[in-house]
Amino acid sequence: MVLPALVLFVVFGVVPLVGVLVLSFTSWDGLGAIHAAGLSNWRSVLTDPQLPHSILVTFEIMILSWVVQTPLSLLLGTFLAGRQRYRAFLAVLYFIPLLLSSAAIAITFKALLDPNFGLGPGLKLSFLTQDWLGRGDLALAVVIFIVSWQFIPFHSLIYQGGVRQIPTTMYEAASIDGAGRIRQFFSITVPQLKYTIITSSTLMVVGSLTFFDLIFVLTAGGPGDATSVLALDMYQRGFMSNRMGPASVIAALIVLLGLALALLLRRLGGSTTASQQEGA
Amino acid sequence: MTTSRRTFLGLVGGGALAAGLAACGSSGPTTTPGSTTGAGGASGSGATYWFLTGQPQQTIREAQVKRFNDANPDTKIKTTMFQNDAFKQKIKTAIGAGQGPTLIWGWGGGGLKAYVEAGQVEDLTDWFNQQTELKDSIFPSAFTAATVNGKLYAVPGETVTPIVLFYDKRAFDKIGAEPPQSWGDILDLVPKFNEKGIAPFSLGGQSRWTSMMWLEFLFDRIGGSEVFQNIFDGKKDAWSDPSALKALEEMQKLIKANGFVKGFSSITADSNADQALLFTGKAAMMLHGAWTYGNMKASGGDFVTGGHMGYMNFPPVDGGKGDPSATVGNPGQYMSISSKASDADKETAKKFIANNTLDDATVEAWVKSGNIPVVKSAKDKLSSITDKNDAAWLNFIYDTAANAKNFAQSWDQALSPTQAETLLDNIAKLFQLSISPQQFASNMNAVIGQ
């Protein structure tokens, strides 16, 4: 049973990864012959002032979207873990954004936020009539908002599952001891969800390294390069500028960053893989 | 969405919309019945031809192939059609892998140069010199973008689309002014329109090439055509030419004076929002390609049909060295032949180019669709246009293209992909006022000749 998975992983995971590493030491325009370039691509990318900027923007989006998404998903997930029927209905409603493709979401928001033909001018609401995507700080905030809007449903689903795993006896005992709902949330739900939080955070953090489609369609990295994340930088170097070498360097950097972050989060969560169920 | 090469080439912006469309609907290639290889485009099993979907271009291209196949039943051409972004990615990858079509449809310039340097396209110089009739019929300005190192690698075809200054006559009536005759007039008009709550210029700045069109004209009007020619030729520090710096300064002067619509840097050209600003009266003028005419006529209510749309060539800059008849934009589309194709397929492709791409039926079809094909004989067909707005427009475009002292190809196509991307990136920053003209010049000098 392991072999097919292993073959797939090697063909679609390891081989491209090695390919990218090899390409990062070559110069290639995607058309002609591939020439060895030694360390020059690495040197030029690592000294390019664009790179720290892209990394900064990537981390800004990563951290801010984590900060926005985690509490909201946690609260929403806890709320939805109740058993009333209306909550099942709400859960379905909340889940809808995740079913839409990022490109469709980006196009829709772009139309809604248009300073001349969008929602604000349409409803004559001046506070909505901002140059949302034309000002760097606003554009970054819009990206974070849309990312959160899109992915909170997914993470609240994870939390919903996590909360339902918590034995009801713990809440019953707490009630008997006189703990209110808020106290129960912070003393039972959150600690019990520790591993769920780590899983969800890992997905958010590592996933945000590869944000591309949404930003590509929404702002194309702009205005200027205010929302130019690493993945977009890679695309622009590789497929727009026809410089596959430097693009491969960035791809390799993204892999390294992703690995480092995933390991870091694992470390933060403690290295034990034992169950967090009561008493264990 | 119109299918000019602009929407296609609007790099990020264009890709963005196309990516969106691809996500919404079918973006896969459409293959004609009878093709055995599907989208694979094999070489050696008959000549193949890939081109773009979208009307009216698609119908005209299909008719060309049909006429050819009917006349040559033994050497039929198989066609595969792609949506814009699918085509751009697919053809580059396919050519890189030696799996390209026999007939390579493209935009010439820097992209063609990359194919030439990779040895992927056939040198057509000798063959084309024998096609005297075809050669003499094409606008001479169209050949620059097809020529690499003095050799011809592509044959011009399809349409000429210069960049034009569009304006709304109603907006000028409101402020009681005349259309600008010089750059100075433009700067003078800006506060007058702003006072009346009309944006002086519409601009889809997120698409970046839209902003580039302004620089193309300012460079030309201030310094003449040799300023960009030096850049194109890879002359060291060519972007720091005093005329270039002057043009960049004038550009930022117009931006600082609020010459462009509020929020221009988040507007894309691909959604045609910039055209909508003009024809809904929110903006007074717009610098844009001739390819926008069709959409403005179709979507703009009575803007075109009611005679409210005005248009002119970009005005001169006082004291500038440039020839005011010169224009920029798209001097044609181009067909190359893959060097990897079999000799028989190459012959088929040459026959197709010689007999079917700019034949009488094609020229007539282009004119009827509201376009000027890249041949002199287009003029003869103009008298058959009955709509007076269309007739006036087509005559204007014909005269602009035919009389242009110099018809420069859009920079993002003329330059190599590496330079083009750096250019678009820096133009976005220049228009954001986040870099100075000097920084712009030094950033661009750093990639010159690459």
Side-chain angles (χ1 to χ4, degrees), chain B residues 166-232:
Chain B
F166 293 95
Y167 59 90
D168 183 352
K169 291 176 185 166
R170 295 167 297 188
F172 279 91
D173 288 344
K174 269 184 202 157
I175 64 160
E178 291 296 309
Q181 296 304 311
S182 69
W183 178 250
D185 285 355
I186 288 183
L187 294 174
D188 291 344
L189 283 166
V190 164
K192 292 182 190 159
F193 279 117
N194 279 330
E195 258 170 51
K196 285 273 179 193
I198 302 171
F201 284 98
S202 173
L203 179 68
Q206 191 181 317
S207 300
R208 307 184 300 177
W209 55 261
T210 42
S211 312
M212 179 184 70
M213 300 188 294
W214 279 90
L215 292 182
E216 289 168 353
F217 271 119
L218 278 176
F219 271 54
D220 184 85
R221 294 290 186 265
I222 292 175
S225 59
E226 64 270 20
V227 182
F228 182 70
Q229 192 59 40
N230 287 339
I231 293 166
F232 182 76

Side-chain angles (χ1 to χ4, degrees), chain A residues 30-32 50 101 103 107 110 115-117 131 133-134 216-220 223-225 235-236 239-243, chain B residues 12 15-16 20 23 89 92 95-96 114-115 118 120 206 262-263 265-268 273 276-277 282 417-418 421 429 432:
Chain A
L31 278 176
Q50 177 67 30
S101 86
I107 288 178
K110 207 171 159 50
N116 296 295
F117 301 104
D131 189 9
L133 300 170
F216 182 67
V217 179
L218 192 72
T219 66
D225 53 8
Y235 177 82
Q236 280 170 338
F239 295 98
M240 301 257 186
S241 301
N242 275 6
R243 290 182 296 164
Chain B
V12 166
Q89 292 302 335
K92 202 160 79 183
I95 290 172
Y115 292 157
Q120 300 286 354
Q206 191 181 317
K262 200 169 160 252
S265 54
S266 63
I267 299 171
T268 53
L277 284 167
K282 290 188 165 72
T418 304
E421 180 58 24
K429 289 177 187 157
Q432 283 284 109

Side-chain angles (χ1 to χ4, degrees), chain A residues 8 23 47 64 66 82 120 125 132 145 159 161 181 192 209 211 222 226 241 261 267:
Chain A
L8 282 176
L23 273 185
T47 54
L64 291 173
W66 183 86
L125 295 172
W132 291 109
F145 171 81
Y159 285 119
R181 296 183 87 173
Q192 287 290 314
L209 278 180
F211 280 149
S241 301
L261 285 166
R267 188 60 56 83

